[in-house]
Amino acid sequence: MRESVAVVHDLVSRLSPVDELGAEHRVSALAWLASTDDVFRRVKPASPPQHLVSYVVPVAADGRILLVDHINAGLWLPPGGHVEVDEDPALTARREIQEELGLGDAGLSRSPIFLTITRTVGQDHGHTDVSLWYVLNCTGDEELRPDVGEFNAVRWWTRDELVAADPGRFDPHFFRFLAALDRNGLVDELHRRTGLERLSRGSDRFGPVAALLFTPGGHISVRGGCGGGFEVVVWVNSGDLAAAGRTGDLDEIAGTMLDLHSGHSAKELAERHTYLAVTEPVAAIEALWHIITEHEAEVTVPLARAAAANPVLRRMWPWISHGTLNLYDRRDSPSQVKRGLAFHPALGGFMVRPYGGEIHAAEPIEAAVARAAETFASWED
């Protein structure tokens, strides 16, 4: 893979989808980036017909959003533009806000927070934009020098004004972006509500999380739920999943974090916060399968979904270690594994290796899943 394309592939792989459509766009974008290096616009207006774009959304300290009334598109859009050949999308973002609005990049996010795939409208030949959405934090009082050749108007919008506006006058994914923007500020908001210094963004062993808290008694990871709200998982220090649930109430999540930090057990957390349920083995296994099949890195998802569809393997503990899917005998727990196997990625598919046994030659996903199921079935007999 071309180095400049690999940079974009890494950016996309670390994005946490805001909803099911976002998850589909992420899968499609990763597959596209893995299939070709011709991802940058080479010739105006639309060669190749699908190419990368960097959007930049200026956000004022009071929450207002700056949008431009784009002449060609006939829509209110964030400023931005096409990524030049081999250009880092972050550099595109910096260049575009300077050229289009005269703004500096001091408040520009280091990475995009949102991804969309959109068939364009307007006077140019139709094409498909794969857009990375960056955020530019502003005071809201900056002097603007808009490019009058591209925009009919430029204005700051309040959230109330956006809610009252005709959604057909905006990028078709703009209001989904607002949900991602709110989610991206989750750590700051939870920190404001809890004062817990160990709160952070980052990743657990299953991929990116919106918020993460480590305590002496265990840790909590918070992901954006594909159906809305947030998925909250409580882990004990042994590495076992202890409780899980979904809620959109940030006060509940903050309270859960404070209670875990105070030393309350998973059972006590579930009693205090009814959105949580203590995960007995069957429920814990289902929760882990959900995380892996909906939120994990793309290289693992097709295999995990095929394994999850197999009734024998669905009963096993799924686990990710260094990008490798592992399955454990359901009679064990992740912290006390006696029997299990790993799927090692290889040219031609995956190599199945039972713990303590010989590794098999690489096979396509279907064959590797069937081999694993046969192995577990033999252990159950």
Side-chain angles (χ1 to χ4, degrees):
M1 182 183 290
R2 191 169 178 160
E3 184 177 354
S4 57
V5 178
V7 168
V8 180
H9 190 281
D10 181 61
L11 288 173
V12 174
S13 69
R14 288 189 276 114
L15 284 169
S16 181
V18 70
D19 53 22
E20 291 184 4
L21 180 58
E24 291 175 9
H25 282 187
R26 180 173 174 270
V27 168
S28 296
L30 287 170
W32 172 61
L33 292 164
S35 67
T36 180
D37 287 338
D38 194 16
V39 301
F40 306 98
R41 190 179 71 170
R42 293 179 282 99
V43 182
K44 294 181 179 181
S47 294
Q50 179 163 305
H51 48 254
L52 289 165
V53 166
S54 286
Y55 267 157
V56 187
V57 185
V59 180
D62 59 8
R64 289 175 297 149
I65 307 291
L66 184 69
L67 297 175
V68 299
D69 186 3
H70 201 281
I71 293 173
N72 184 37
L75 299 172
W76 285 98
L77 302 174
H82 299 92
V83 181
E84 300 294 342
V85 175
D86 290 332
E87 185 177 35
D88 188 306
L91 294 179
T92 309
R94 295 188 183 101
R95 174 172 53 78
E96 292 291 342
I97 57 174
Q98 172 61 41
E99 293 176 357
E100 295 186 349
L101 294 173
L103 290 173
D105 63 357
L108 186 67
S109 60
R110 296 177 61 184
S111 300
I113 70 165
F114 193 56
L115 166 80
T116 57
I117 300 178
T118 310
R119 184 70 180 173
T120 64
V121 297
Q123 299 169 11
D124 286 348
H125 294 80
H127 61 276
T128 300
D129 285 341
V130 178
S131 303
L132 298 166
W133 297 54
Y134 291 80
V135 175
L136 179 69
N137 291 309
C138 302
T139 65
D141 298 321
E142 287 84 356
E143 178 185 358
L144 302 176
R145 298 190 298 276
D147 183 344
V148 295
E150 287 203 49
F151 313 137
N152 289 315
V154 176
R155 63 168 286 191
W156 289 98
W157 295 76
T158 68
R159 288 298 184 94
D160 288 342
E161 289 170 338
L162 289 169
V163 169
D166 175 7
R169 285 280 285 123
F170 298 84
D171 180 282
H173 304 291
F174 176 69
F175 291 91
R176 296 178 52 246
F177 163 79
L178 292 181
L181 178 65
D182 292 341
R183 183 170 297 172
N184 192 61
L186 179 65
V187 168
D188 294 336
E189 182 59 27
L190 288 173
H191 184 267
R192 186 184 70 78
R193 297 179 189 220
T194 65
L196 296 172
E197 295 297 333
R198 292 189 177 185
L199 257 169
S200 65
R201 300 176 182 86
S203 300
D204 62 15
R205 67 189 308 156
F206 295 105
V209 297
L212 193 64
L213 175 70
F214 285 94
T215 76
H219 72 275
I220 291 178
S221 57
V222 184
R223 287 176 167 81
C226 290
F230 297 95
E231 295 173 0
V232 181
V233 181
V234 181
W235 312 82
V236 293
N237 280 338
S238 63
D240 292 341
L241 189 153
R246 176 182 291 192
T247 181
D249 189 333
L250 295 185
D251 284 333
E252 282 283 359
I253 297 175
T256 304
M257 290 179 163
L258 287 168
D259 285 342
L260 182 65
H261 186 265
S262 298
H264 290 284
S265 67
K267 182 178 180 181
E268 291 170 329
L269 292 179
E271 291 172 351
R272 287 169 168 257
H273 307 280
T274 55
Y275 77 92
L276 281 177
V278 174
T279 49
E280 300 300 332
V282 171
I285 287 171
E286 281 299 308
L288 290 175
W289 275 119
H290 174 75
I291 292 171
I292 292 170
T293 56
E294 298 300 329
H295 295 284
E296 235 299 299
E298 174 59 19
V299 67
T300 312
V301 168
L303 171 66
R305 289 180 176 170
N310 183 286
V312 174
L313 301 186
R314 184 77 182 200
R315 299 195 298 269
M316 305 303 159
W317 290 98
W319 210 249
I320 300 292
S321 178
H322 303 292
T324 298
L325 175 64
N326 293 259
L327 299 181
Y328 305 150
D329 192 302
R330 70 179 185 276
R331 291 165 291 190
D332 300 334
S333 69
S335 61
Q336 296 177 324
V337 178
K338 299 181 180 66
R339 290 190 290 195
L341 57 78
F343 294 87
H344 296 283
L347 186 65
F350 292 86
M351 300 182 294
V352 176
R353 179 181 64 81
Y355 293 173
E358 294 184 2
I359 191 167
H360 295 275
E363 301 171 298
I365 287 177
E366 296 78 6
V369 165
R371 182 181 297 280
E374 182 179 348
T375 300
F376 277 113
S378 70
W379 291 346
E380 290 184 325
D381 293 340

